[in-house]
Each structure stands twice: as structure tokens, then as C-alpha cells.
Amino acid sequence: MPEASAGFTPPTPPSAVSPAAPPTPPIPLTELLAREELRLRRIAGPAEADLLWVHTSEMADPYPYLLGGELLLSAGVLLKDPDAYVARLREAGAAALGFGVTPVFDTVPQALIEACDRQGLPLVEVPPETPFTAIARAVWRLMAEARHRELRRVTRAQQALATAAARPDPVPAVLHQLAAQLGGRAVLLAADGEELHTAGRRPAPDVGAALARLTRVVCAVTRPAPTSATDTVRDAHLSAYALGGGQGLVLALATDRREAGDHTIAGVAVVLLSLLAAPHQGADAAGRSAALVRLLLGADPQDVAPLLGGAERWTVVHARRSGDGPVDPLTAGALGAALGSALVDAGRGGDAVRVLVPGDDRITPQPGWTLGASAPAPITALDLADGQASRALGRAAATRTPLAHHHAGPGLGLTALIPPDQAEAHARALLAPLTDPLAETLRCWLSLHGSWDRTATALQVHRNTVRQRIARCTALLDVDLDDMDVRTELWFALRQR
């Protein structure tokens, strides 16, 4: 079996979702020869060659200056020994030789033609009226066109894979889409080699056996293993990628061709599958997520507590993308994974995400998100924590900070001097004229020191709406909100709600 080699290293989910752009595809020599304005003619060597770039040299031995894959252009100024010259070009990995007739030679030397035929190097005759720069310009143009085609192909594949990941059956959907995009077989395997999901046509038995051997290269547990490996068996191109998440899952591919953008497309699939198959997406994830939904819909916390595991305290996080637009479930799931929780509620096409994080560890900022975190709370007080997180998110948005925590206060001072039942009764009586939207607007406005613009940002309404609501509060409560004593009493009452 050909030696497997470590290759592409996928981004570590979920912090990165978009792999790098694909490399520029090589240009077939036949495409360059088809440019009629260049009047090029292959006169020796094989017809097939892939060009990576163009280089011009009149050195007797250009070997030290070649990287491989070049179309080397020369007029043969120092050509003395054609056999040795061609041998050095082959050793350097040159793709083809373009020989310009005149001013040194009127025709391509016969000895050079024979040497290229013997050693399998394509030889192209360049007529006197075709400048070398015109050939270089044509190659760069063909490369640019090929790169644009490959970028479009990769972009379409990425969009198709992302769409598949949002389906109800995301893992098999992604595998089917990957197999279709690459024209081959895609398999998701467990650490013990068991095929969990497959898509695409089944390869020949010997190819399948080679693919199974290759997957063991990237999931070895007794020694450091590469994150990916490739192999070739007959005409089949094989690849294996270790998925993130620590479960030993492997994505294996068998295709009939290997294009420049295939690694990039496979990398997108690796990121998506790593997110979808992460540990928190295991067999019990559906039950826990359902528990979250039931909690948010008002079920009795005691009924769903067993489904949420053994954590005694929970932190509710409200999040909003820094950019505009709704948040898709996959992006919301990536945020949940970054915060260490599978309990994510992305809403119904909205731009807000709620995450229920077990424990009382401090939440950290996440790139591309604005977060509001509640104080850690027992499961019986998650409704209060939900409100805290919502207000914290509003404060973070208003102050343009990536993360705001709810500050519960020291639990001392004037609040501690008043019995809770009396404080709640006073608050209900004082705030009775206000509806919930008016009371929340007043609370937010007071917390932001009467700033119209910041309150509008926090509540995601127009500043005139804030002004109208505060004016309505003033009228209903029959108070002067410019009076600090009034503001203090209202703030105390609102804190009891």
C-alpha cells in the first residue's frame, strides 16, 4: 500500500466555521495549446501535463531555480547537451519545456526533440512571433479563470453542506451532499471502525479495504496520530479526517478524482460533522434539549430536573450575533458548544439565542457575539435567571460590550432591612398601573441613567418609542421622573418584580 501521509488539518470546532480558500488548480497544457493566438505546437513528449506557473531561463542548468510544475521557456542560448539538460529538468519536476526558435536556433534541435521523447517531457515549439511574455500572460489568465471556477464550486458546495446540516437528519444529509459534491463515497466511522453512516456508491473491495486501513492511521490511540491522511489505490483517491470532539470519529472519502478544492470542501464537512457529532449531541441530547424547551414554556421545574443531570446551579445566557440577520440552528449550536452546553434555544427565525449552562463558572466573551449572563440560579429560579440574562444582554448591547453579567448586589444595605413580603407588596401597589412592556422600559431606562439612545439599543426599539413609553409611565404613576427620590423608589420597586 502506498505510504499514507498527514495532510490537511481541519479547524478546531466550533471556533472556526470556514476553512481557507482552495489552492489554484493546475492548468492543463492542452488548454494553453488551444489558444490559437499563441500558435504553440507540441512536437515531443506526452500530451498531458499540468502547469503551475511559467518560468523563463537561459541558464545551462536551471535546476536550482525550479520548484516543480513549471512551463520552462528558453531559446537555448546555452544549450550544449540536450540529454543532460532534459534530465535535469525532469529531476527538478518541470512540467513542460517551451522552446523559442530564433534568434539562436532557426528550428528546434532534433537532439532536443529526441531527448524529450525519451525522457517523457512535453516539448512545445514557440514561433518567432510569439513573445514569452504573451505565453506567461495567457497562463496567468487561465489560472485566474480556473481559480474563479474552483472558488465558485467550493462556495456552492459549502452552501449545500450548510443547508444539509440544518435538516432534521443532519449527519446523513451532510454525508450524502459531500458524496455528491466530490463524486465518490463518504463514510462516518466510529473509533472501532464501525460504519455509522454512509453515502455514495460502494467502492471495489480492495479500495474499501485500503480505506479502512487509512482510517486507522488517523484514529490511532496508542501513539500521536495525524489529523488527516491520504492514499491512492489504482485510480481511487482516498482520504481520512479525524473529527474534533474526542470521540474518535473519522470521516473517510473515496473518489475517482482529486481536485484542488476537494480538501477545502472536505474541511467544511469536517467542521460541520464535528459540531453535529460533538459529545453534547449524544443520545441524551434530545431529551435534555426538550427539557429546556419545556422549561421555557413554563413546565414545572421539578418535573424536568431529572432530565437536566446533576447540576445544582445553572446560568442562563442570552446572545445576539454582532452582525445583522437571524441565527441558524447550526450557528446557535456552535455557540452552545463554545459555552459547554447543548441546551440551546435559537427561537423561531429570530436573532436571539438562549443557552442554559450548567454550573456557576463565569461565562467568557465569544467572538462575533454579544452576551448577557444571569447570576447562577437553582433550577426552580430559571425564570428569574432568564429575565436577568435578557436585561444583561440589553445592557451589553447598549454599552457596546461583548459580555455583561447580572449583578445581584451584595445582599445588604436598605433592601436587607425590609421584609421581602412587604417589599413585594409595596412594589405591586406602586407599579400596578404599568403593563409589563412599560415596566421593563422604565427599568431599563433607569438602569442606563435615563439615556434614550442606549435604552432604545438595549430594547431594540426606536428612541421615540422609549420617549413615548417613559412619558406614559410618568402620566400613569403621576410622578416627576427628574426627581432623584422618585427614581430611587421606583428602582427599588422594580427590583422586587
Side-chain angles (χ1 to χ4, degrees), residues 43-263:
I43 58 176
E48 301 297 330
D50 290 331
L51 312 179
L52 295 178
W53 35 63
V54 179
H55 181 64
T56 300
S57 175
E58 296 299 343
M59 300 183 67
D61 181 14
Y63 174 91
Y65 303 95
L66 300 181
L67 298 174
E70 294 92 350
L71 168 62
L72 180 66
L73 301 176
S74 176
V77 174
L78 298 179
L79 181 65
K80 303 299 182 184
D81 185 345
D83 277 312
Y85 183 76
V86 173
R88 291 292 280 173
L89 294 185
R90 290 285 293 160
E91 186 178 353
L97 172 62
F99 195 87
V101 295
T102 70
V104 182
F105 293 92
D106 292 334
T107 61
V108 180
Q110 184 62 33
L112 183 61
I113 296 175
E114 294 172 357
C116 286
D117 270 331
R118 280 194 301 272
Q119 301 189 46
L121 181 69
L123 176 60
V124 176
E125 180 186 66
V126 181
E129 62 272 17
T130 301
F132 284 177
T133 54
I135 298 175
R137 187 165 54 244
V139 170
W140 303 140
R141 186 177 296 114
L142 289 171
M143 292 179 72
E145 293 171 355
R147 180 166 179 78
H148 289 158
R149 288 195 302 270
E150 196 65 13
L151 284 172
R152 287 195 296 270
R153 183 176 82 95
V154 169
T155 299
R156 289 194 297 268
Q158 183 172 357
Q159 293 171 344
L161 289 169
T163 300
R167 291 185 48 172
D169 53 343
V171 172
V174 168
L175 287 176
H176 278 286
Q177 191 58 241
L178 181 62
Q181 294 293 332
L182 300 184
R185 177 80 163 178
V187 185
L188 181 65
L189 300 102
D192 59 1
E194 177 188 0
E195 292 187 355
L196 302 178
H197 297 282
T198 63
R201 64 183 185 279
R202 183 175 295 276
D206 59 334
V207 174
L211 189 61
R213 290 194 297 270
L214 189 63
T215 60
R216 291 195 287 272
V217 173
V218 300
C219 67
V221 295
T222 58
R223 56 179 174 80
T227 54
S228 68
T230 59
D231 195 6
T232 302
V233 175
R234 292 189 283 113
D235 294 331
H237 299 279
L238 312 180
S239 304
Y241 301 88
L243 301 190
Q247 291 181 294
L249 300 179
V250 177
L251 171 64
L253 303 172
T255 60
D256 294 334
R257 65 181 190 278
R258 182 171 290 163
E259 303 293 344
D262 287 355
H263 270 318

Side-chain angles (χ1 to χ4, degrees), residues 114-440:
E114 294 172 357
C116 286
D117 270 331
R118 280 194 301 272
Q119 301 189 46
L121 181 69
L123 176 60
V124 176
E125 180 186 66
V126 181
E129 62 272 17
T130 301
F132 284 177
T133 54
I135 298 175
R137 187 165 54 244
V139 170
W140 303 140
R141 186 177 296 114
L142 289 171
M143 292 179 72
E145 293 171 355
R147 180 166 179 78
H148 289 158
R149 288 195 302 270
E150 196 65 13
L151 284 172
R152 287 195 296 270
R153 183 176 82 95
V154 169
T155 299
R156 289 194 297 268
Q158 183 172 357
Q159 293 171 344
L161 289 169
T163 300
R167 291 185 48 172
D169 53 343
V171 172
V174 168
L175 287 176
H176 278 286
Q177 191 58 241
L178 181 62
Q181 294 293 332
L182 300 184
R185 177 80 163 178
V187 185
L188 181 65
L189 300 102
D192 59 1
E194 177 188 0
E195 292 187 355
L196 302 178
H197 297 282
T198 63
R201 64 183 185 279
R202 183 175 295 276
D206 59 334
V207 174
L211 189 61
R213 290 194 297 270
L214 189 63
T215 60
R216 291 195 287 272
V217 173
V218 300
C219 67
V221 295
T222 58
R223 56 179 174 80
T227 54
S228 68
T230 59
D231 195 6
T232 302
V233 175
R234 292 189 283 113
D235 294 331
H237 299 279
L238 312 180
S239 304
Y241 301 88
L243 301 190
Q247 291 181 294
L249 300 179
V250 177
L251 171 64
L253 303 172
T255 60
D256 294 334
R257 65 181 190 278
R258 182 171 290 163
E259 303 293 344
D262 287 355
H263 270 318
T264 304
I265 295 173
V268 173
V270 167
V271 173
L272 294 174
L273 291 172
S274 295
L275 292 172
L276 295 169
H280 62 268
Q281 294 289 346
D284 61 341
R288 290 184 299 168
S289 295
L292 171 65
V293 174
R294 289 170 60 190
L295 278 174
L296 296 177
L297 291 178
D300 186 345
Q302 300 298 339
D303 292 339
V304 296
L307 296 175
L308 290 173
E312 295 182 359
R313 294 166 68 82
W314 297 81
T315 300
V316 179
V317 178
H318 282 217
R320 188 176 299 132
R321 289 287 290 176
S322 298
D324 296 330
V327 178
D328 61 86
L330 186 61
T331 304
L335 173 65
L339 295 175
S341 175
L343 302 177
V344 180
D345 174 26
R348 295 179 177 270
D351 62 351
V353 177
R354 290 186 287 188
V355 184
L356 191 59
V357 181
D360 55 5
D361 294 337
R362 296 287 288 180
I363 305 300
T364 58
Q366 299 297 319
W369 292 91
T370 300
L371 306 179
S374 73
I379 195 171
T380 54
L382 286 181
D383 55 342
L384 297 177
D386 189 50
Q388 293 174 359
S390 176
R391 291 188 290 274
L393 175 61
R395 188 168 68 254
T399 56
R400 299 183 180 180
T401 56
L403 169 64
H405 288 275
H406 172 77
H407 299 294
L412 302 174
L414 294 177
T415 302
L417 299 177
I418 303 176
D421 55 344
Q422 295 182 21
E424 292 178 9
H426 174 72
R428 284 196 300 270
L430 180 61
L431 302 175
L434 303 184
T435 61
D436 287 342
L438 290 178
E440 184 58 31

